[in-house]
Amino acid sequence: MLNKQGRQTDITTASEFAVGSITTHSGNMGLEQQELLIYEIGDTERTGVDLEGIKDFENRLGGITRDNEIGLAGLSEPEAMRHYTRLSRMNYAIDMGLYPLGSCTMKHNPRLNEKVARLPGLGDIHPLQPKSTVQGALEVMDRLAHWLKTLTGMPAIAMSPKAGAHGELCGLMAIRAALDKRGEDRSIVLAPESAHGTNPATATLCGYKVQSIPATEDGRVDLHALKDALGPDVAAIMLTNPNTCGLFERDVIEIAEAVHSIGGYFYCDGANFNAIVGKVRPGDLGVDAMHINLHKTFSTPHGGGGPGAGPVVLSEALAPFAPVPYVIHGENGFDLVEHVEDGSDSFGRMTAFHGQMGMNIRALAFMMSHGCDGLAQVAEDSVLNANYVMASLTDVMTVSFDGPCMHECLFDDRFLNGSDIATLDFAKAMIDEGYHPMTMYFPLVVHGAMLIEPTESESKQSLDQFIGSLRHLVAEAKAGNKELFIGAPYLAPLRRLDETLAARKPVLRWTKPE
Ligand SMILES: *Cc1c(COP(=O)(O)O)cnc(C)c1O
């Protein structure tokens, strides 16, 4: 039986798993091409170009000439083109379908951003050019900084951090510098158990001991446990708001006041800013430092056009400790302060140059094309979409926490109880349905977590199709069709891979078979 997409759909019992059991001579599955490593296709004995040897050539390398084979794979131009095109087709992308990875905000990346980022005056410049020749680029950084400060209600910003985690490092280094200046040697950073792994990692890297704060029944930080943990040795709390369960921390102002009352700082993980942009200003909540994932909130999700960027907004208390470089309005236009000046409290420099320029441009293009009202609607629509998904699945899947969610909805594996199907199996079956799985097993506070973040990019129609797939899978699981799950994916070119082995013992170097 073929469904509307012309796909084989009558795979219901183990013996009928025809699609999964076909093996082809080529390793290809239909028009899904299996692709070997470039070294396996190419041949070091061959070269893809016919260049004549250089005549009358004087070697001036002074004895450091390579004398062994370079070992590159020789391919013809069409072979090289096919290799990379085939690889690109093996990648699931935001431009191919819904990408429900919770906590990642995989939203549409408007082509306008790309067009602007590639303008020669922005795309073809170099950070070491004279400042007089890159005034426009400096103005982009300055304007973006202004928008980010305005949206967050914070007085200062560090633009150079290159990712969310890097922004966390920046924020904690500013906190450390502020405490040093006060002559205090505090050793503890508090982090809720639902925190993203980068939070405790950052605190540890900065030399702090991490103390975990438990969650309440309703998925929020336990205020009493937090207050009990506060003391003169606490440097900061790292809190995500909205948190990684997709919920707003209602006690956030009380938390900020409590942390400030013992002389600590409030670091807010702003990766989930998408849910509140244009609606809530973190500065009004008592935040001292917060990174903003430009590659989440302001489009261009990870892999969707290059690297990320994690600017950090800072409160009045932390502003003096911000790193260099930063843009100023100088006598002859925009200027960059590149070095820590005498008497400055800046903690120094984090990056070689000024930050992720391409991401700055994309984020500013996104903001300017949306405007203030459009950005507020981003938050509204992302929250609406997540609640629509949640409400459409509550009768068949188990929602972890009651009540409306923010921009992502959290399910756990209780609905699979007794089916012998785990969250992982369920996620793999989603691949056969043509969807990238949601975030699994995170946050750690619920068992077998499934965190879905549809983002504001999705239409009702595409959400309905996604919901339809999930409802179908749940029905199959409840009907005892275990086979559909435990061997999944059946329709992907590669089946179950040993992901643990791949993560723990990655094979990063190809060696020529003997
Ligand atoms: C994505 C994310 C981070 C880390 O951001 P990167 O840019 O991937 O380093 C930190 N915290 C939360 C809650 C996140 O979702």
Side-chain angles (χ1 to χ4, degrees), residues 52-368:
E52 292 199 11
I54 305 168
K55 290 196 195 86
D56 304 326
F57 164 70
E58 184 201 344
N59 184 335
R60 285 179 294 167
L61 286 174
I64 59 161
T65 318
R66 179 172 43 78
D67 53 16
N68 56 347
E69 238 182 52
I70 193 166
L72 291 181
L75 293 175
S76 69
E77 183 169 321
E79 282 171 328
M81 284 303 303
R82 282 184 186 157
H83 175 67
Y84 289 108
T85 306
R86 286 174 175 180
L87 286 184
S88 76
R89 289 183 42 161
M90 295 176 106
N91 203 0
Y92 192 80
I94 190 69
D95 290 343
M96 289 175 70
L98 190 146
Y99 214 131
L101 269 186
S103 209
C104 291
T105 315
M106 303 297 280
K107 62 166 76 170
H108 171 60
N109 178 29
R111 289 303 167 269
L112 177 67
N113 298 359
E114 297 306 312
K115 200 170 167 180
V116 179
R118 283 171 178 72
L119 291 175
L122 293 171
D124 297 345
I125 53 177
H126 191 277
L128 293 179
Q129 260 176 251
K131 286 166 205 151
S132 63
T133 66
V134 291
Q135 285 291 305
L138 295 177
E139 186 173 354
V140 166
M141 288 167 69
D142 187 62
R143 275 213 200 183
L144 177 62
H146 174 75
W147 276 71
L148 292 173
K149 287 188 288 185
T150 306
L151 284 168
T152 54
M154 301 281 280
I157 188 163
M159 294 295 289
S160 62
K162 298 201 175 202
H166 203 208
E168 291 173 29
L169 184 63
C170 175
L172 278 210
M173 286 174 81
I175 290 170
R176 166 133 252 163
L179 288 168
D180 283 350
K181 170 109 181 177
R182 271 163 38 186
E184 292 181 19
D185 187 22
R186 299 181 177 224
S187 66
I188 294 172
V189 165
L190 305 178
E193 18 171 51
S194 62
H196 194 266
T198 49
N199 292 185
T202 300
T204 306
L205 193 68
C206 282
Y208 290 106
K209 281 200 293 286
V210 179
Q211 190 175 326
S212 184
I213 304 294
T216 55
E217 286 288 295
D218 69 350
R220 288 160 175 99
V221 171
D222 185 332
L223 187 62
H224 298 293
L226 171 82
K227 285 187 171 168
D228 287 346
L230 289 175
D233 207 19
V234 170
I237 180 168
M238 296 183 86
L239 184 79
T240 311
N241 197 22
N243 70 22
T244 59
C245 298
L247 304 169
F248 196 84
E249 293 285 356
R250 295 187 207 105
D251 297 324
V252 62
I253 291 179
E254 206 175 333
I255 290 172
E257 284 168 0
V259 173
H260 289 151
S261 74
I262 53 102
Y265 292 97
F266 177 8
Y267 185 91
C268 182
D269 179 329
N272 293 337
F273 193 46
N274 203 51
I276 55 172
V277 60
K279 297 297 225 182
V280 179
R281 301 191 314 163
D284 299 335
L285 305 178
V287 168
D288 290 300
M290 182 182 95
H291 73 264
I292 302 160
N293 296 60
L294 295 188
H295 52 290
K296 293 179 182 174
T297 306
F298 302 108
S299 73
T300 326
H302 337 16
V312 178
V313 285
L314 298 166
S315 64
E316 214 70 71
L318 293 181
F321 306 96
V324 291
Y326 50 87
V327 177
I328 54 165
H329 296 234
E331 277 173 21
N332 304 309
F334 293 99
D335 202 356
L336 267 175
V337 175
E338 296 262 20
H339 303 285
V340 179
E341 285 158 358
D342 285 345
S344 158
D345 287 325
S346 163
F347 72 73
R349 174 182 278 272
M350 298 188 80
T351 59
F353 295 121
H354 324 317
Q356 300 287 30
M357 194 55 203
M359 289 305 303
N360 291 344
I361 299 162
R362 289 176 175 91
L364 186 61
F366 184 81
M367 291 176 177
M368 293 184 77

Side-chain angles (χ1 to χ4, degrees), residues 192-197 200 215 244-245 401 410 439-449 451:
E193 18 171 51
S194 62
H196 194 266
T244 59
C245 298
F401 302 108
L410 181 58
T439 291
M440 297 178 288
Y441 300 111
F442 176 82
L444 306 177
V445 286
V446 306
H447 193 269
L451 185 63

